Amino acid sequence: MRPYQSYVYAYPHKTAYRPLEPRPELRELWAGEPQDALSLYLHIPFCEVRCGFCNLFTRIGSPDGLTTAYLDALERQATTVRAALDQGARFAVAAFGGGTPTYLTAGELERLCDLTEQRMGVDLQAVPLSVEASPDTSTADRLEVLAARGTTRLSLGVQSFLDEEAKSAVRPQKRAAVEAALGRIRAAGFPVLNIDLIYGIDGQSEASWLRSIDAALAWRPEELYLYPLYVRPLTGLARRSTPQDWDAQRLALYRAGRDHLLGQGYRQVSMRMFRRAGAAAEVDGEYSCQTDGMVGLGCGARSYTAGLHYSFDYAVNATEVRSIIDGYVATTDFGRAEHGWPMGPDEARRRHLLQSLLQADGLELADYLGRFGSAPAEDFPAELAAFAGRGWLADSPGRLALSAEGLAYSDAVGPALFSPAVRARMDGHVAR
């Protein structure tokens, strides 16, 4: 089976979402939902450049006044969403993602933090706050704002410390700029530094991959993410052909990187995530934004209730993305959900199993039984039997967890758990 089918960072993916008719009111969606430990995600859809592998919902640059208009819309949305929640709703974790949140100026980041606290009622000094950044936008004044406002985790997208590999991935950056940014980040004093790296880049060898990892390790990051390169439709790399043995190359690089980090005292949290021994975790488990009780603000953010996952429209093409952002900025009424996917009992089981199984610790069987009144083997006998037959399941009494080989094939395990309905919806999505 092919090891690299799809990175499942949320289930279902937004390509399964469709326009909701009728559009439900947010007050109705959130009525009766547990709201004592919500997650908050704010999406900033701007970047300085678009990397060749990127299919995120983001636009390059911003005409004069667009970031201000976007923050205006974000504030309107925050006001409406907070009014739809219970008066005593409480947030347990927050994140700024993108795009590149640090594309915003220091003053705009102050405003972003202000609306998070004042409109949504989140005490950023009291809850974990994760922020994504790029080397060129990690300026001292921006980092100073983020550190002062309570950021506990700064995630830096580096991808490769080698200039020739960055160029091959259509990511215009120089190692000197990356190192300088890391120096500023460490000086700012964030408790958790995460560095993202990518393997499978054209021309990358095991030796060059390990050199890049060692360059990251020199900064003793609390976390490292090792991402396999994907070539997706409508991205810059989509015009290039991929080598015939690319799966085998990526798998070999994954194993080399994994073994190197384990030898350096890092613990594997998931296929992609590694945490330094003794380093404090920002939150338990892998940082994620796909649990029930997620409130998303911004034109690319998802929100999750127990019965519905919803967002705005989704696109990758630059013209389509600009159109959606313009529509978001012009919106005055944010009181209804626009696009989404209803989560029935079967989908809830699938999602819980999928999310848990893709973590190295796996799933506690008693917890699953208490939550759903059944066992995973009863609900998903064919899927789990297939995993066991391939040696992907570990022998863990009381738990259902992936073996080392199963973790290596996480991007095949996840898609294998998609429901037929979700798969059909995703297959019917027209990339734009």
Side-chain angles (χ1 to χ4, degrees):
M1 178 177 283
R2 289 174 43 240
Y4 298 105
Q5 297 182 29
S6 177
Y7 171 26
V8 185
Y9 58 90
Y11 178 78
H13 190 268
K14 281 169 67 174
T15 52
Y17 292 12
R18 294 294 185 272
L20 297 169
E21 290 295 342
R23 297 177 302 141
E25 290 190 7
L26 299 190
R27 287 182 182 275
E28 296 175 359
L29 287 178
W30 286 98
E33 292 285 314
Q35 298 180 30
D36 59 331
L38 296 170
S39 299
L40 179 67
Y41 178 79
L42 288 89
H43 177 243
I44 306 300
F46 304 107
C47 289
E48 291 186 313
V49 296
R50 185 160 203 146
C51 303
F53 51 83
C54 178
N55 74 334
L56 296 178
F57 185 93
T58 187
R59 67 163 289 163
I60 308 310
S62 56
D64 288 346
L66 182 57
T67 54
T68 297
Y70 186 82
L71 290 172
D72 289 343
L74 200 61
E75 192 152 6
R76 291 195 301 273
Q77 186 187 11
T79 301
T80 300
V81 170
R82 187 63 187 83
L85 300 175
D86 294 346
Q87 189 172 358
R90 189 183 71 84
F91 290 89
V93 63
F96 301 159
T100 308
T102 49
Y103 177 91
L104 300 178
T105 66
E108 290 169 334
L109 287 171
E110 288 276 18
R111 184 181 176 190
L112 185 66
C113 292
D114 284 344
L115 74 86
T116 302
E117 292 194 329
Q118 296 167 14
R119 299 299 182 186
M120 295 304 296
V122 182
D123 184 353
L124 294 180
Q125 299 294 335
V127 305
L129 170 63
S130 180
V131 181
E132 297 172 4
S134 68
D136 286 344
T137 60
S138 296
T139 57
D141 58 340
R142 291 176 169 106
L143 297 174
E144 182 180 0
V145 168
L146 293 174
R149 298 304 294 262
T151 302
T152 50
R153 178 181 183 270
L154 198 291
S155 181
L156 190 71
V158 174
Q159 319 319 344
S160 178
F161 279 83
L162 307 185
D163 291 353
E164 62 272 21
E165 289 184 1
K167 181 179 179 181
S168 182
V170 193
R171 182 178 177 86
Q173 71 180 20
K174 298 296 183 183
R175 178 170 178 173
V178 173
E179 300 280 1
L182 284 164
R184 294 190 296 271
I185 290 167
R186 277 309 197 196
F190 300 104
V192 176
L193 165 65
N194 172 70
I195 297 176
D196 289 344
L197 299 176
I198 283 182
Y199 56 91
I201 298 170
D202 187 30
Q204 189 177 52
S205 65
E206 181 176 318
S208 70
W209 171 229
L210 295 180
R211 283 203 306 275
S212 200
I213 292 177
D214 282 336
L217 290 175
W219 292 96
R220 301 197 75 241
E222 285 71 27
E223 296 175 2
L224 270 167
Y225 270 73
L226 307 184
Y227 285 98
L229 179 65
Y230 275 92
V231 174
R232 299 179 175 94
L234 304 181
T235 63
L237 291 180
R239 294 183 291 272
R240 299 186 184 181
S241 59
T242 56
Q244 224 162 6
D245 60 346
W246 198 31
D247 277 355
Q249 291 175 8
R250 285 182 288 179
L251 200 54
L253 292 172
Y254 159 77
R255 287 173 170 148
R258 174 200 62 192
D259 293 348
H260 189 59
L261 289 181
L262 294 177
Q264 294 295 315
Y266 280 72
R267 181 176 71 87
Q268 188 165 19
V269 179
S270 70
M271 172 190 169
R272 289 164 170 76
M273 182 184 175
F274 296 80
R275 180 175 292 126
R276 198 184 76 217
E282 189 214 17
V283 293
D284 290 335
E286 182 175 2
Y287 177 77
S288 63
C289 61
Q290 61 260 36
T291 54
D292 284 338
M294 162 63 65
V295 176
L297 301 178
C299 61
R302 299 172 175 87
S303 294
Y304 304 125
T305 67
L308 182 71
H309 290 192
Y310 64 94
S311 182
F312 295 97
D313 202 359
Y314 169 75
V316 176
N317 174 270
T319 301
E320 297 285 351
V321 169
R322 286 196 295 270
S323 176
I324 294 171
I325 293 174
D326 290 345
Y328 174 83
V329 165
T331 298
T332 56
D333 181 6
F334 287 101
R336 295 178 179 271
E338 301 288 340
H339 291 70
W341 173 267
M343 293 295 292
D346 175 68
E347 296 291 17
R349 285 175 165 83
R350 287 181 180 276
R351 182 164 167 272
H352 186 82
L353 175 63
L354 188 156
Q355 287 181 225
S356 302
L357 202 55
L358 295 184
Q359 303 296 304
D361 288 342
L363 173 74
E364 188 175 345
L365 294 175
D367 176 68
Y368 186 96
L369 178 63
R371 185 182 296 254
F372 300 112
S374 56
E378 297 174 59
D379 296 334
F380 305 99
E383 293 93 334
L384 294 180
F387 297 164
R390 294 187 173 96
W392 290 355
L393 297 182
D395 183 10
S396 304
R399 304 191 71 83
L400 182 64
L402 295 177
S403 63
E405 188 70 357
L407 278 176
Y409 276 78
S410 290
D411 286 5
V413 170
L417 289 170
F418 290 2
S419 72
V422 164
R423 194 178 300 278
R425 278 282 190 93
M426 293 178 68
D427 289 344
H429 173 76
V430 179
R432 59 187 182 91

